[in-house]
Amino acid sequence: MTQELVSLTIIMAVAAVSPIVAQLIPGKFIPQTVLLLAAGTALGPYGLGVIEVNDAVKLLNELGMAFLFLLAGYEIDPKRLAGHQGKVGLLTWGITLGLAWLVVTFLPFFTKQGINGVATVIALTTTALGTLMPILKERSLEGTPIGDAIISYGTWGELGPILAMAILLSTRTGWQTMLVLGAFLAICLLCAMLPTKALKTGHRLYRFLTENANTSSQTLMRLTTFLLIFLVTISALFELDAVLGAFAAGFILRYIIPDGSKSLEMKLEGVGYGFLIPVFFVVSGAAINVRAVAGRPALLVAFIVMLMLIRAVPVYVALSLDKRENPLSSHHRVTVALYCTTALPIIVAVTSLAVKVGTMQSDTASTLVAAGAITVFLMPLLGSITYQVADIHPVTAVREIAHTPSDWRTIVREHAQVRALLHHQDRLKRMAETLESLEKQEGLNGLDSRRAELVERARLEIDRQLKELGLDPQLTTQPPHNYRYPKN
């Protein structure tokens, strides 16, 4: 027991220090998740060896992964899946799966590496939506057109591989697999329908649960945790991967509470991001054998490149063909595609399963997990860069400078000012939406009144900047896409 406590103490020390270090890094370009992974690799069995991945730590690691997928499933709006962008996201993931199968099956490189199996195909189609959500929140992308597109395409990048794992990696025959999945689906439907029916009828038990949700009983939180562990246990009993049960629990929770619950969300995020999820990422890092990865650099690089070609390119093409419904600039489409190429939790799950059944070597699994860990750092970084330069319209700026090289300073400054204006406009919109939701929920208190005053000041500042550009604030709220400053 002493060693278990020592390992857990070190893991939680890493979890406590990581956000502080991430905040101190100039530009905040390294997500906390990357620091957790790196620390796990350095302190784990293949590093300094001060973290021992024993049974107790493994259990917390499984619970951490379960909470990560619970929160990922909870973020999914069923209406989004059935909507236009959700359907396009599903079609795009299907194309991604087909491309991955062709590449893994017929590319000699993967055959020589001994990883031309279904597990590798699934790993190449994934998007780590649960890992991306805190990054999107940190970078204020949640609720923006870019954030919505990332969630729409990323949803199928997480849900699709989970279903593929259950179907394609099963050791049962085809009809047995479908029978087991049907039974699991029936249990999930039962878990979703009973609370929904109680909510509609105003059942006495439901009133009791809601009235005691924020007392020491914590009824809703306990029931949510029970739902999660129950479905993860059912997954284990049915010999399905735990991520399927965890993801289903989050999806059911969103179905039961379609408008969400701020109080419950804060508690789930507190338990998840405050304790269990950091354990999962540190232990995932500890599973990376640095020497094995260093011995196969070609596989590491090739896997990351294939992820970008197989996952990012189809997402970019889909967004480009769907410009009428998603009028994003080319830079923003690249941003969405890069974020959707972030992959790790599914890679951890699918490689662990492949190693367990003997279809993949542990050294190969370490390399693929390391590649997934690198994407958690690399893809959001590249996406952040493209997002930052998107509204500057660099191509237009280069053309203007080529036409009048002597005015390059003025041109650069003007394009930077346009980007700043658009950035302020985007922040104003989110602030106004937040204020409106608060007004509907509880009415304005002192804090909300100050926020309303801040919104009004922001509106006045936007109007002032628009007037400086020679635009009428009554007729427009932001410059057109190809707006050019009037020359003095």
Side-chain angles (χ1 to χ4, degrees):
M1 179 61 70
T2 302
Q3 183 57 47
E4 285 88 341
L5 289 174
V6 170
S7 296
L8 184 58
T9 300
I10 296 172
I11 290 172
M12 294 315 300
V14 170
V17 171
S18 292
I20 300 174
V21 175
Q23 184 73 20
L24 293 175
I25 296 174
K28 304 176 186 177
F29 64 93
I30 299 181
Q32 298 177 32
T33 304
V34 175
L35 299 177
L36 294 172
L37 291 165
T41 303
L43 302 176
Y46 300 106
L48 298 177
V50 295
I51 294 177
E52 181 180 319
V53 185
N54 42 52
D55 290 341
V57 173
K58 286 180 180 178
L59 177 60
L60 291 175
N61 173 59
E62 290 292 324
L63 289 175
M65 184 170 66
F67 257 85
L68 182 67
F69 281 96
L70 168 77
L71 293 172
Y74 180 75
E75 292 289 347
I76 297 175
D77 184 355
K79 295 179 181 178
R80 191 191 299 272
L81 288 178
H84 172 79
Q85 201 168 49
K87 294 175 182 177
V88 175
L90 173 59
L91 177 61
T92 304
W93 183 80
I95 294 172
T96 299
L97 182 65
L99 290 174
W101 179 81
L102 290 172
V103 168
V104 173
T105 303
F106 296 105
L107 196 66
F109 175 81
F110 284 98
T111 304
K112 292 178 181 178
Q113 295 291 331
I115 55 170
N116 58 334
V118 177
T120 309
V121 172
I122 295 173
L124 285 168
T125 67
T126 181
T127 296
L129 184 62
T131 305
L132 280 175
M133 289 310 302
I135 297 176
L136 297 181
K137 291 177 182 179
E138 289 173 9
R139 298 181 178 181
S140 301
L141 290 175
E142 192 178 30
T144 66
I146 294 174
D148 291 342
I150 293 171
I151 293 174
S152 294
Y153 286 88
T155 294
W156 285 109
E158 189 138 60
L159 179 57
I162 290 173
L163 295 175
M165 286 173 61
I167 297 172
L168 301 178
L169 293 180
S170 174
T171 56
R172 303 181 180 91
T173 60
W175 70 269
Q176 288 176 329
T177 299
M178 299 311 296
L179 185 63
V180 167
L181 288 176
F184 180 79
L185 177 61
I187 293 173
C188 290
L189 290 175
L190 187 63
C191 292
M193 296 306 297
L194 288 179
T196 305
K197 186 176 181 180
L199 171 62
K200 290 181 178 178
T201 59
H203 195 275
R204 184 184 304 172
L205 177 60
Y206 181 81
R207 292 198 301 271
F208 170 79
L209 294 175
T210 53
E211 289 171 0
N212 290 273
N214 295 315
T215 65
S216 59
S217 299
Q218 292 293 322
T219 48
L220 287 180
M221 183 63 186
R222 292 185 187 184
L223 277 178
T224 300
T225 307
F226 165 73
L227 174 66
L228 171 64
I229 295 178
F230 172 70
L231 290 180
V232 168
T233 303
I234 293 296
S235 298
L237 292 174
F238 286 176
E239 296 182 1
L240 299 169
D241 198 272
V243 297
L244 179 62
F247 199 84
F251 197 75
I252 291 170
L253 187 62
R254 172 59 72 179
Y255 177 79
I256 298 171
I257 316 174
D259 297 327
S261 170
K262 291 295 182 183
S263 175
L264 180 61
E265 289 167 19
M266 289 181 63
K267 295 168 188 174
L268 290 173
E269 290 179 355
V271 174
Y273 293 118
F275 176 33
L276 294 171
I277 293 176
V279 174
F280 166 70
F281 283 119
V282 173
V283 174
S284 296
I288 298 175
N289 186 339
V290 179
R291 292 181 180 177
V293 174
R296 307 183 74 175
L299 176 60
L300 180 73
V301 175
F303 190 79
I304 295 174
V305 171
M306 286 297 106
L307 270 173
M308 297 183 70
L309 293 176
I310 292 172
R311 186 71 185 132
V313 173
V315 171
Y316 178 84
V317 172
L319 286 168
S320 300
L321 295 176
D322 195 35
K323 288 176 67 176
R324 178 174 296 181
E325 295 290 335
N326 299 287
L328 298 176
S329 68
S330 60
H331 291 81
H332 286 160
R333 295 196 296 272
V334 172
T335 298
V336 174
L338 288 170
Y339 273 102
C340 286
T341 314
T342 304
L344 180 65
I346 291 291
I347 294 179
V348 173
V350 75
T351 54
S352 298
L353 185 58
V355 170
K356 187 182 299 183
V357 299
T359 59
M360 183 180 291
Q361 296 179 355
S362 58
D363 288 355
T364 303
S366 285
T367 305
L368 299 190
V369 171
I374 290 173
T375 65
V376 175
F377 163 71
L378 183 62
M379 301 308 169
L381 174 62
L382 296 177
S384 177
I385 293 173
T386 58
Y387 178 73
Q388 292 292 330
V389 303
D391 293 325
I392 300 177
H393 303 299
V395 175
T396 304
V398 170
R399 290 175 181 171
E400 292 176 2
I401 292 173
H403 186 261
T404 54
S406 59
D407 292 341
W408 70 271
R409 289 187 179 87
T410 303
I411 293 171
V412 170
R413 184 178 67 254
E414 290 171 350
H415 278 262
Q417 288 174 340
V418 169
R419 182 197 171 279
L421 177 60
L422 292 175
H423 180 67
H424 285 305
Q425 177 69 23
D426 189 44
R427 291 184 62 189
L428 170 63
K429 180 181 177 181
R430 290 199 297 271
M431 290 166 62
E433 290 174 349
T434 302
L435 178 64
E436 183 179 353
S437 65
L438 289 172
E439 288 175 341
K440 290 180 179 178
Q441 290 176 6
E442 302 176 355
L444 288 174
N445 54 31
L447 177 62
D448 298 329
S449 298
R450 289 193 293 273
R451 187 174 295 174
E453 182 182 353
L454 183 60
V455 170
E456 184 59 31
R457 288 183 181 179
R459 287 196 181 108
L460 292 175
E461 176 63 18
I462 292 293
D463 289 348
R464 184 188 67 78
Q465 293 188 36
L466 287 170
K467 289 177 181 178
E468 286 185 359
L469 298 177
L471 299 174
D472 185 354
Q474 301 299 322
L475 300 178
T476 183
T477 56
Q478 64 183 41
H481 179 71
N482 293 322
Y483 180 79
R484 292 184 63 181
Y485 275 76
K487 299 295 183 182
N488 295 327

